[in-house]
Amino acid sequence: MLRLEPRREPSAVMRALSPALAVLLTLIAGFIAFTLMGYNGALAIEQIALAPLLDPVRWPDLLIKAAPLILIATGLSIGFRANVWNIGAEGQYILGAIFATGAALATWEMSGRWILPLMLVAGAAGGAAWAAIPAFLRVRWKVSEILVSLMLTYVSIQLLYYLVRGPWKDPQGFNFPQTRMFSDSQTLPAIIEGSLVHLGVPIAIAVAIIAWILMSRSLFGYSVRLVGMAPQAARHAGFSENRTIWATLLISGALAGFAGALEAAGPFGQLVPQFPANYGFTAIIVAFLGRLDPLGVIAGALLLAVTYVGGELAQTSAGLPQAAAGVFQAMLLFFLLAVDVLARYRIRVGGPAHARAGA
Amino acid sequence: MSTTIVISIIMTILIAATPILLASLGELVVEKSGVLNLGVEGMMLCGAVCGFGATVATGSLLAGFLAAMAAGVATAMIFAFLTLTLSANQVATGLALTIFGVGVSSLIGKPFVGRTVGRLEPLLPAALSDHPVLRVVFGYDILVYGAIALTAATAWFLTSTRPGLILRAVGESDSSAHAIGYPVIAIRAAAVAFGGAMAGLAGAYFSLALTPMWADRLTAGRGWIALALVVFASWKPGRLLLGAWLFGAVATFELQAKAMGATWLAPEFLAMLPYLATVVVLTLISMRRAGAEGSAPACLGKPFATA
């Protein structure tokens, strides 16, 4: 008989090791699943998990895909620490892109160095405004932020469709549902000449580092963690739960909106109906994979970026459908949640379980 | 408005309400046992695709619905193992289940895209079900009636039977229930399995009755609306019926307005309505409850450990 025995303190070693173990288990389970479904399992796993790392040509792509994940997951990890479950980051990400595009269309035919920052600030404001709705409803009437933020994601997708098909449609776009292409002043510059790696990549890493300092070295970070771990104690210490809800939702909304603005001004260069790429949902996996720690999030985002890029490679080489990468990512989260039990419990073989529990 | 239009509106409302009602009934029982499973959307999608696949393979709708329920239970058991056996975080696990369901259903469903099957027909003979007026009562498939009957049965089970009482006790105070000697984990696992079966069935209602076909993300967030409905209903089965019909009315309004070519509101705004309505309704219900602690089961979402 196997039996779980709670540890007095969660094991730090296991907490750090469990993502690696989860990755390993996911590779094995993925191999089995893809083989059973009639694909070349070994090739599929090799393409999804290894090929992007081995081929330097893919590295810029990894950084580009990781940037929005880092930004969004950093914001989410702060909220999750406080038990504030913003799962509508995808919607805030879309709103960020919409606001940034609005700023771009308003500054049409203008030029100057101020336009791009304006777009990015507008994007962050848009994401924060969208997240303010669940924050207000939760604080004022205790409405579940989980459901509201998620519902608003569906609303934001329709809003995006409406704008690109209607008022914002490019007049010279042959009736395609898309906005004008952004001008040079409205596009993120590349940081390495001739590559697609844009300014958003170093910004995202800097934001994660700032968030890490904020969370581990400031009173705010302490209050967020305390509200999440021991709400009662937090109340006695004078930390307001409502203020924490507002702060964490606004921060995660702003970062998701900022990511949306960067993505619109970077890789897309315009707003199109295909803009939503599920980064907002994948970032939830990244946040957990990164142990709800902004530095861990950087590693988690790079890992998930591998599956994004690898998933595309596996489509052409192993004939795997696009959804395979999503399954792979979800399995990763399942395994992570499962192996996390090793951090909280010791596994004992045999022995009297109830005797100790009763003592 | 002519009688025909009124009748067809009523019928559309009842039909649109059915899958949401099924899924939310399952989740209500799960939450009554003290577990919050946010994976309803994922379980519905797995049910939808497996049900469709089984019907394509066998030609039998019954096989389809049974396969859908089995798929729902199977995915629910992943959730039960992680949250109940390993006491993983329920919110995170539920989200993972939804992400998983979206991906897996798309992967399994790839060969089925573009195929159709014969849809679920009305239960009663054509003389009744095609009757111009009586069809408003007799013109539905078995699951429309079944969902309403199940609502009554669930209400009865929870309030008037011993197992129902035990289930609620487990949700209100797991440690007391454990102290008396009830197997908390097993009871919760059974509730989660029921929730999975109902979500699977609800999913198959989309792919075998509403639109007899498979498309990626066919359920379009209805699983999340089912979750919201449980809160709206204050965890009372009777009120679920009301909520599901309300949702059906919003969905029907969207369809009617589109069909009549309403130009005063862009189709994208019409498509937002179910989600906006859910937010508004959730807010209204929470406003009314403000002050009181609400009627959620006391142990909802909290892991249970015996030690």
Side-chain angles (χ1 to χ4, degrees):
Chain A
M1 255 296 277
L2 288 177
R3 163 173 80 73
L4 298 176
E5 184 183 288
R7 293 177 196 264
R8 204 166 294 162
E9 291 277 321
S11 154
V13 178
M14 284 315 298
R15 241 182 101 72
L17 272 183
S18 59
L21 190 55
V23 169
L24 188 69
L25 288 169
T26 307
L27 292 177
I28 297 169
F31 167 75
I32 296 171
F34 293 140
T35 307
L36 286 179
M37 294 177 86
Y39 300 102
N40 181 342
L43 178 66
I45 293 299
E46 196 262 331
Q47 291 287 304
I48 291 187
L50 271 182
L53 287 172
L54 298 178
D55 184 358
V57 177
R58 308 281 169 198
W59 292 352
D61 210 15
L62 290 182
L63 294 175
I64 295 166
K65 293 246 167 21
L69 289 174
I70 292 172
L71 285 168
I72 302 171
T74 295
L76 293 183
S77 67
I78 296 173
F80 290 175
R81 286 251 159 173
N83 275 329
V84 176
W85 298 98
N86 172 12
I87 60 169
E90 181 78 2
Q92 294 137 25
Y93 169 78
I94 293 170
L95 255 284
I98 288 176
F99 270 57
T101 305
L105 296 179
T107 54
W108 192 246
E109 292 188 327
M110 294 184 213
S111 61
R113 287 183 160 276
W114 53 275
I115 293 179
L116 194 59
L118 177 77
M119 285 168 64
L120 298 181
V121 169
W130 208 236
I133 300 171
F136 173 74
L137 294 178
R138 161 85 195 263
V139 166
R140 184 74 181 76
W141 292 298
K142 294 192 188 314
V143 186
S144 156
E145 79 280 13
I146 296 178
L147 293 171
V148 173
S149 62
L150 192 95
M151 287 294 133
L152 290 178
T153 298
Y154 289 96
V155 173
S156 67
I157 292 173
Q158 294 300 329
L159 185 63
L160 167 73
Y161 289 166
Y162 168 73
L163 290 170
V164 296
R165 287 174 193 159
W168 286 2
K169 189 163 66 179
D170 182 359
Q172 277 105 48
F174 305 101
N175 219 17
F176 278 113
Q178 55 192 29
T179 65
R180 297 171 189 269
M181 289 295 291
F182 298 159
S183 67
D184 281 349
S185 317
Q186 297 169 332
T187 316
L188 281 181
I191 48 166
I192 306 166
E193 201 63 40
S195 94
L196 291 170
V197 179
H198 55 74
L199 199 57
V201 175
I203 292 180
I205 293 170
V207 164
I209 292 171
I210 293 168
W212 178 77
I213 296 170
L214 186 72
M215 285 305 287
S216 57
R217 300 276 183 275
S218 78
L219 187 63
F220 169 77
Y222 177 69
S223 75
V224 166
R225 281 180 287 141
L226 195 61
V227 165
M229 273 190 301
Q232 208 115 35
R235 228 167 291 142
H236 284 300
F239 297 127
S240 147
E241 193 184 353
N242 285 347
R243 212 166 47 216
T244 308
I245 293 170
W246 269 111
T248 52
L249 272 165
L250 288 181
I251 290 174
S252 55
L255 287 181
F258 188 63
L262 284 174
E263 202 67 5
F268 280 90
Q270 66 181 150
L271 204 54
V272 292
Q274 298 80 29
F275 182 79
N278 260 350
Y279 284 139
F281 293 108
T282 311
I284 296 172
I285 303 177
V286 171
F288 281 107
L289 213 55
R291 321 273 64 191
L292 304 185
D293 175 291
L295 293 186
V297 158
I298 298 178
L302 283 168
L303 188 67
L304 269 280
V306 170
T307 65
Y308 260 106
V309 176
E312 285 168 14
L313 292 176
Q315 273 182 62
T316 43
S317 58
L320 229 54
Q322 196 190 354
V327 176
F328 203 78
Q329 294 166 357
M331 280 200 298
L332 193 55
L333 182 51
F334 274 145
F335 280 116
L336 183 73
L337 292 166
V339 295
D340 257 356
V341 79
L342 297 176
R344 286 177 291 121
Y345 297 91
R346 279 193 188 85
I347 294 181
R348 289 285 156 102
V349 184
H354 41 271
R356 200 165 317 184
Chain B
M1 251 191 281
S2 75
T3 333
T4 328
I5 293 182
V6 173
I7 285 178
S8 102
I9 287 177
I10 292 176
M11 291 187 71
T12 319
I13 291 175
L14 286 179
I15 291 168
T18 296
I20 302 263
L21 182 58
L22 288 169
S24 58
L25 264 179
E27 179 66 16
L28 184 137
V29 171
V30 175
E31 293 191 13
K32 272 288 183 189
S33 81
V35 180
L36 178 67
N37 184 354
L38 293 180
V40 180
E41 178 83 0
M43 299 189 294
M44 272 172 84
L45 282 167
C46 286
V49 75
C50 290
F52 190 82
T55 301
V56 167
T58 62
S60 151
L61 281 169
L62 180 65
F65 282 111
L66 288 177
M69 291 170 76
V73 173
T75 46
M77 285 301 98
I78 302 176
F79 177 86
F81 175 72
L82 286 170
T83 59
L84 301 178
T85 312
L86 302 182
S87 34
N89 181 311
Q90 294 182 7
V91 174
T93 312
L95 288 173
L97 187 55
T98 289
I99 299 173
F100 181 73
V102 170
V104 164
S105 61
S106 167
L107 204 57
I108 301 177
K110 195 124 195 281
F112 305 134
V113 175
R115 296 187 68 161
T116 52
V117 292
R119 77 163 75 205
L120 191 61
E121 294 293 336
L123 179 66
L124 298 168
L128 285 169
S129 63
D130 268 354
H131 187 280
V133 179
L134 290 181
R135 68 194 179 101
V136 75
V137 181
F138 298 118
Y140 306 97
D141 59 67
I142 185 169
L143 280 173
V144 174
Y145 301 115
I148 295 171
L150 264 171
T151 311
T154 306
W156 172 78
F157 170 79
L158 286 174
T159 54
S160 313
T161 71
R162 198 174 161 76
L165 196 68
I166 297 170
L167 183 117
R168 284 193 293 146
V170 165
E172 291 298 339
S173 175
D174 46 15
S175 48
S176 319
H178 173 72
I180 304 171
Y182 292 120
V184 173
I185 299 294
I187 291 168
R188 286 189 169 163
V192 170
F194 175 74
M198 297 299 277
L201 191 61
Y205 196 79
F206 277 96
S207 60
L208 295 175
L210 284 179
T211 48
M213 53 160 224
W214 166 253
D216 274 4
R217 298 177 190 231
L218 184 68
T219 53
R222 299 304 192 251
W224 292 103
I225 293 181
L227 274 163
L229 221 56
V230 177
V231 181
F232 164 79
S234 308
W235 290 267
K236 292 188 175 65
R239 291 199 201 162
L240 274 187
L241 203 54
L242 199 71
W245 286 339
L246 185 70
F247 171 81
V250 174
T252 306
F253 174 78
E254 182 196 335
L255 286 175
Q256 290 283 333
K258 262 184 199 157
M260 293 192 295
T263 48
W264 49 276
L265 199 58
E268 291 86 1
F269 287 101
L270 285 171
M272 287 177 194
L273 280 178
Y275 312 108
L276 285 175
T278 305
V279 172
V280 169
V281 161
L282 270 181
T283 306
L284 289 176
I285 204 78
S286 306
M287 281 167 86
R288 235 189 42 192
R289 261 210 310 264
E293 251 315 278
S295 34
C299 293
L300 186 59
K302 297 188 184 120
F304 172 69
T306 32

